[in-house]
Every structure is written in C-alpha cells, then in structure tokens.
Amino acid sequence: MAEGRLTTHVLDTAAGRPAADLKIELWAVHVDGSRDLKREATTNQDGRVEGALLSGAGFSAGTYELVFYAGDYLRAVGHSLSEPAFLDVVPIRFGIADASAHYHVPLLISPYGYSTYRGS
C-alpha cells in the first residue's frame, strides 16, 4: 500500500513569485468541531514547506484545516494593505478520503484574492 502524504506551497500572484517565510498551521478537525494542532511550518524560498506536512502513521482519513497567515506575509514583503486587511488569515478546510494518496493543497494569494485546488 502506498504511503499517503499532505503537501502545500504558496505563490504570491501579485508579485509573481513564491511566498517565502509564510507561517502555516495544520489542524485536524473533529466531528464535534474541535480542532487539534498537528503541525506548524514556514514556507521556504520556493514557497514550499520542507517535506510533507503530514505523512506516515499520522496521515489518516478525516477533515483538516490549513491556516495560512497571509496578511503577515503580505505586509512583510511590502504589499500595501488596508487596516484591517481584506485578507489576513486564510483557512482552507478540506477532507482526506484516501490515506494512501498524495494530497497537495496549494494557495495562490494576493492582497485581495486567493485560490486553491487539489494539486498533484
């Protein structure tokens, strides 16, 4: 059986470059709505987290949430933001149905919009 894993990367579409030094949290979301912090990470110069956010025995089917601290990043690199910022903390809640698959959840951000998808 293949080992599943979760990965991500972040691109700054306003600047046309990877979003380096962006803080990310990974939470497991339970049926009752409570959450457990599984991992904190920061993107590297390529906008990626080194290795998988989750893999091996810790990777299982369920609902998860990636929380991207986009506002902190956007301010740090000099984007002009309103106060409060239109986008600050960006949560993406998603499901993992197949624990043997690779789930890649990228984020494309700018000060006034974002998008995501299930990548490969």
Side-chain angles (χ1 to χ4, degrees):
M1 181 184 212
E3 182 178 289
R5 67 191 188 283
L6 172 65
T7 58
T8 189
H9 76 274
V10 186
L11 299 175
D12 180 340
T13 58
R17 64 178 175 234
D21 299 318
L22 189 146
K23 179 183 171 185
I24 301 169
E25 294 174 346
L26 172 64
W27 295 82
V29 181
H30 304 289
V31 175
D32 66 2
S34 65
R35 303 181 316 158
D36 288 323
L37 182 63
K38 302 297 276 182
R39 173 126 187 248
E40 290 183 48
T42 302
T43 57
N44 63 20
Q45 294 302 307
D46 290 326
R48 298 182 181 279
V49 172
E50 297 292 338
L53 283 167
L54 200 58
S55 63
F59 187 77
S60 60
T63 302
Y64 294 87
E65 188 171 83
L66 281 168
V67 179
F68 297 88
Y69 288 82
D72 292 345
Y73 161 80
L74 293 166
R75 284 182 196 90
V77 298
H79 287 290
S80 178
L81 302 181
S82 60
E83 286 301 329
F86 180 70
L87 292 177
D88 192 10
V89 177
V90 176
I92 300 174
R93 190 168 287 193
F94 59 96
I96 291 176
D98 181 357
S100 67
H102 177 196
Y103 284 77
H104 183 69
V105 182
L107 179 69
L108 286 68
I109 60 166
S110 76
Y112 294 99
Y114 71 90
S115 65
T116 190
Y117 54 93
R118 180 173 174 196
S120 59

